Amino acid sequence: MSNDDDLGSFFALPPFKADEALQRMRRDLKDRKPLVEQGAGPITRFTLQGDTVVELKLADGAIECAIAKKVSQRPEWLRSTIRSTADVRKALDAIARQMKLWVDED
């Protein structure tokens, strides 16, 4: 093993733990009023005024994320796959941006 390999493994990011990241996202979204968490099944849903606006689901070591473009009973979804902590931050930022639009629609 060369010194480059030693340094590469020393500076490697820890593996992404999707289940822990999902819990972190759930906690963060619960704190964002007026979002309300719904259900306890395999898909975690957050609603705004009774309509689902965010869906999160564990899938193959990642998190499948769907964010509604508009508050609606049949929303058009912005979908992404979260595979790293950077992706978690991006998804939470995207939800915050959409929340501003959702609240302004009212």
Side-chain angles (χ1 to χ4, degrees), residues 16-19 21-22 25 56-65 80-84 87-88:
F16 180 66
K17 297 179 182 174
D19 54 339
L22 178 60
M25 291 182 76
L56 303 170
K57 176 177 83 168
L58 286 176
D60 299 324
I63 302 169
E64 296 295 327
C65 177
S80 63
T81 302
I82 299 169
R83 293 186 173 96
S84 69
D87 291 343
V88 169

Side-chain angles (χ1 to χ4, degrees), residues 53-91:
V53 292
V54 177
E55 291 183 345
L56 303 170
K57 176 177 83 168
L58 286 176
D60 299 324
I63 302 169
E64 296 295 327
C65 177
I67 304 168
K69 287 185 179 181
K70 295 171 70 172
V71 177
S72 164
Q73 288 184 348
R74 295 179 156 217
E76 185 177 341
W77 297 102
L78 300 168
R79 297 188 184 276
S80 63
T81 302
I82 299 169
R83 293 186 173 96
S84 69
T85 54
D87 291 343
V88 169
R89 286 189 300 273
K90 287 177 191 174

